[in-house]
Amino acid sequence: MFLFSGCWYTVSTVLFDVGKARGFIRLPAPTPSKGLNMHSTRRLRAAALVALSVAPFISAASFAASGPVFINGQSIYGQPAAQGTPVRLVDLAAAERLKVAYGESVVFRSGAQQFSWTFNGLDRRSVDVSQIAPAGFASKPFAVHVGRSPSNRH
């Protein structure tokens, strides 16, 4: 920007001088406001540097605490199943993977531990149980393939 304003100042001065010599009426040549632009640029650069250096820490902390979520805070994989919801029981020791319909609730059991989950986040995804299991839930790698949402046409 400084280079452009410097060039423009030179070009406008030449045009002003040529116009004055030929008898044209011209407005005075614009003068660049170097001081205002330099200070504004420095402040803008400093603010951008601070924002960019702090942003990774904020987003990494929130991602580690809650995993991938929508803007409203709900997990992209779904939510814990409500009490009384009809569910399908799956023993993690007996299978390697599972196909579920979108919106289906499943109880995952590993030994004496269990938790329930409703898959109503993003459809057509493969989710590892370790991403949705509560802390302390011991399980082997187990993939759950979520089917297509009926509200999606394509």
Side-chain angles (χ1 to χ4, degrees), residues 98-118:
L98 173 68
K99 282 185 125 176
V100 297
Y102 181 86
E104 185 176 358
S105 296
V106 178
V107 173
F108 295 100
R109 183 177 290 164
S110 178
Q113 297 176 321
Q114 72 178 24
F115 76 97
S116 58
W117 193 262
T118 300

Side-chain angles (χ1 to χ4, degrees), residues 59-108:
S59 63
S62 65
F63 182 78
S66 61
V69 294
F70 291 116
I71 292 174
N72 65 1
Q74 182 180 348
S75 172
I76 65 168
Y77 305 121
Q79 59 193 358
Q83 293 288 10
T85 305
V87 295
R88 187 163 116 188
L89 181 63
V90 175
D91 188 10
L92 296 179
E96 295 180 5
R97 61 179 102 47
L98 173 68
K99 282 185 125 176
V100 297
Y102 181 86
E104 185 176 358
S105 296
V106 178
V107 173
F108 295 100

Side-chain angles (χ1 to χ4, degrees), residues 24-97:
F24 295 109
I25 300 173
R26 297 271 185 191
L27 296 174
T31 57
S33 56
K34 293 179 187 174
L36 180 63
N37 287 340
M38 284 190 349
H39 290 298
S40 298
T41 304
R42 284 183 187 160
R43 287 183 187 135
L44 182 61
R45 285 183 185 164
L49 181 64
V50 169
L52 289 174
S53 59
V54 172
F57 297 112
I58 293 172
S59 63
S62 65
F63 182 78
S66 61
V69 294
F70 291 116
I71 292 174
N72 65 1
Q74 182 180 348
S75 172
I76 65 168
Y77 305 121
Q79 59 193 358
Q83 293 288 10
T85 305
V87 295
R88 187 163 116 188
L89 181 63
V90 175
D91 188 10
L92 296 179
E96 295 180 5
R97 61 179 102 47

